[in-house]
Amino acid sequence: MNRVWKSTLVGCIMLFLCGCWDGKNIQYFNFVNMIGIDYIDGKYKIYTQINDLASMAKQEGSGNTPNPIVVGVGEGESIGMAMFDLLKESQMRMDWTQTKAFIFSDRMLAKGIFNIHDDLMRTRDQRYTPWVFATNEDLRKILSTKPITGNSSINTVYYQPNLLYKQMQSSFEPLNYQRFIRSSREPFETMLLDHIKLSESWDKDGKPFTLPTVDGLVALKKGKSEVRFNRKEASGVKWLKERTLRGILPIKDDQGIFIGTAALKNNKVKKTASYKDDKRIVKLEISMDASIREQKKPLELNELNMLIKKNVVDEITKTYELGKKRSVDIYSLNEVCYRKGLTINEDIPELELDINVKLLAANMFELRD
């Protein structure tokens, strides 16, 4: 008898167990995959790339059916008002949890990221994980970029720039939104952000094909952009990044003639700030592995070592001097002084560099001191 009562009691309790009463089918949502933000004529414009989730997933036997990319647009006096304007024509509920990239226009970054940061991240759906880029291109075209092969828009540089960076370490390190905001809050750190442009160098089916490419860096201070550097102008940046696991260095002789390339990897960088003759000096001690990839002219090992070190120093120095001319501390050397407790002067020209490069063992084709 007791067993019957117990069974009856358990059955009644199970009737009141919670279920997924608020479950919703994903076909009733618009999933935002990328967000672009511009600032024009005193108003913010927000652009959203919306994809069918099925088009982003790997499917067997899906054929070559094209998957159109939808770009939504909203406008307002604040980013919050622009987002509400966007919702008016969305037809279905917008979901922001799948956002993979933020793309900010140069105009917006000149106004400052902290003017929109609070409103942008106010929704609980938004994350700090999306990649961040800058551009001066039309954001409609940027968000309408198609992949080289396949139908999934995830096969573009916006979604996984870290994969391309791992292969081409001489490029610039991509940033996610968390690192971008954290570094922008540092008082003496210059934030360097990838700058995107659209290129039509490649063809598809015999016609020019539009692809995004990183053409340089934007320097920001306290969340506001200061100046832009193209890829060649910013070539020295990679040698002061310990995350640069591998970089390609063009080797030129004293006459500027190209004689080959070297692969440099495993950067180790030590920055030390000091005073000398009433001048601030930052000593840069750089150690790296080196190996020759191609050589157009026969040279002794010592000569190659000297030329590699000279070319590394030249790239670092040229980028730094260009930053000085534009009043930008491109290597964030003021922060080194700040961490050391030395007097900070925003006037960059008073700071000098002392660079020492040491080549370490690499492999059977190694170059070493």
Side-chain angles (χ1 to χ4, degrees):
M1 192 68 179
N2 289 335
R3 185 175 297 177
V4 174
W5 278 106
K6 287 180 180 179
S7 300
T8 304
L9 181 62
V10 171
C12 292
I13 292 175
M14 290 180 65
L15 291 175
F16 294 95
L17 290 178
C18 295
C20 298
W21 306 115
D22 61 343
K24 295 180 177 64
N25 294 323
I26 62 174
Q27 65 263 31
Y28 300 133
F29 287 81
N30 286 325
F31 288 93
V32 176
N33 302 126
M34 286 203 302
I35 296 176
I37 300 178
D38 200 354
Y39 184 76
I40 306 175
D41 299 329
K43 289 188 177 182
Y44 290 96
K45 294 193 76 172
I46 184 169
Y47 300 81
T48 57
Q49 184 193 81
I50 300 172
N51 290 284
D52 182 1
L53 287 185
S55 71
M56 302 178 67
K58 184 177 180 180
Q59 299 181 5
E60 294 184 4
S62 59
N64 295 316
T65 304
N67 294 293
I69 294 175
V70 177
V71 177
V73 184
E75 183 180 69
E77 295 181 351
S78 69
I79 194 64
M81 294 302 296
M83 293 173 76
F84 279 118
D85 186 57
L86 173 72
L87 297 177
K88 293 176 183 177
E89 299 181 34
S90 64
Q91 311 301 308
M92 295 187 295
R93 180 173 175 177
M94 302 285 280
D95 185 282
W96 309 88
T97 60
Q98 303 300 315
T99 303
K100 305 300 181 185
F102 293 134
I103 304 178
F104 302 124
S105 72
D106 290 348
R107 290 183 292 266
M108 205 289 299
L109 290 176
K111 187 169 179 61
I113 185 63
F114 292 117
N115 287 317
I116 68 167
H117 169 67
D118 186 58
D119 279 344
L120 183 63
M121 305 305 293
R122 186 170 292 276
T123 171
R124 65 178 183 178
D125 290 349
Q126 201 56 265
R127 305 288 188 267
Y128 280 83
T129 53
W131 301 106
V132 185
F133 303 95
T135 189
N136 61 352
E137 300 274 2
D138 183 352
L139 286 173
R140 286 181 185 268
K141 294 180 179 179
I142 287 284
L143 269 61
S144 300
T145 305
K146 296 290 185 69
I148 295 175
T149 58
N151 298 319
S152 176
S153 60
I154 201 171
N155 297 324
T156 55
V157 70
Y158 310 123
Y159 286 81
Q160 301 182 84
N162 54 323
L163 298 184
L164 181 61
Y165 177 68
K166 287 179 180 178
Q167 182 180 30
M168 191 174 68
Q169 292 285 342
S170 55
S171 183
F172 306 117
E173 182 184 12
L175 291 176
N176 62 25
Y177 193 71
Q178 181 186 38
R179 285 187 59 199
F180 174 64
I181 291 297
R182 183 186 64 197
S183 298
S184 297
R185 294 187 187 279
E186 293 293 335
F188 297 105
E189 182 171 347
T190 301
M191 166 54 54
L192 300 177
L193 184 64
D194 282 0
H195 193 273
I196 293 285
K197 78 166 185 177
L198 296 177
S199 171
E200 293 188 347
S201 300
W202 287 31
D203 287 352
K204 188 172 184 178
D205 296 329
K207 299 178 181 179
F209 187 58
T210 303
L211 291 171
T213 181
V214 178
D215 67 334
L217 296 171
V218 176
L220 298 97
K221 190 71 174 294
K222 298 179 181 178
K224 290 186 177 183
S225 62
E226 295 188 319
V227 71
R228 179 155 58 97
F229 299 87
N230 63 37
R231 183 176 287 276
K232 184 177 180 180
E233 293 171 338
S235 61
V237 170
K238 59 183 175 290
W239 307 125
L240 295 185
K241 295 282 188 180
E242 290 200 352
R243 292 185 179 88
T244 301
L245 302 179
R246 175 175 167 270
I248 302 301
L249 175 74
I251 307 173
K252 297 182 180 181
D253 61 18
D254 294 333
Q255 287 73 44
I257 299 174
F258 175 79
I259 61 172
T261 58
L264 307 179
K265 61 181 182 178
N266 299 329
N267 287 19
K268 297 292 187 295
V269 182
K270 182 179 179 181
K271 302 176 184 179
T272 308
S274 62
Y275 274 108
K276 184 177 181 180
D277 299 329
D278 294 328
K279 291 185 177 180
R280 292 183 301 153
I281 295 178
V282 174
K283 185 175 182 179
L284 303 175
E285 296 182 70
I286 306 169
S287 62
M288 56 181 66
D289 298 338
S291 59
I292 292 295
R293 288 179 57 88
E294 54 183 338
Q295 186 175 346
K296 307 296 185 182
K297 178 181 177 182
L299 292 171
E300 295 292 331
L301 180 60
N302 288 337
E303 292 180 282
L304 282 172
N305 280 339
M306 294 298 294
L307 284 176
I308 290 175
K309 290 193 284 187
K310 178 181 180 299
N311 279 267
V312 170
V313 172
D314 285 348
E315 285 198 3
I316 293 173
T317 303
K318 286 178 181 178
T319 298
Y320 174 68
E321 292 296 330
L322 185 61
K324 282 172 61 174
K325 289 180 180 178
R326 299 179 182 179
S327 300
V328 173
D329 180 15
I330 191 168
Y331 296 141
S332 298
L333 298 178
N334 265 326
E335 189 196 23
V336 180
C337 299
Y338 171 70
R339 300 296 178 189
K340 186 73 174 179
L342 302 178
T343 302
I344 303 298
N345 189 335
E346 294 284 355
D347 192 12
I348 306 302
E350 292 186 7
L351 198 153
E352 296 182 2
L353 291 183
D354 181 9
I355 306 172
N356 179 34
V357 179
K358 185 177 182 180
L359 302 182
L360 304 176
N363 51 40
M364 61 182 295
F365 303 106
E366 68 188 28
L367 295 172
R368 65 175 113 185
D369 292 338

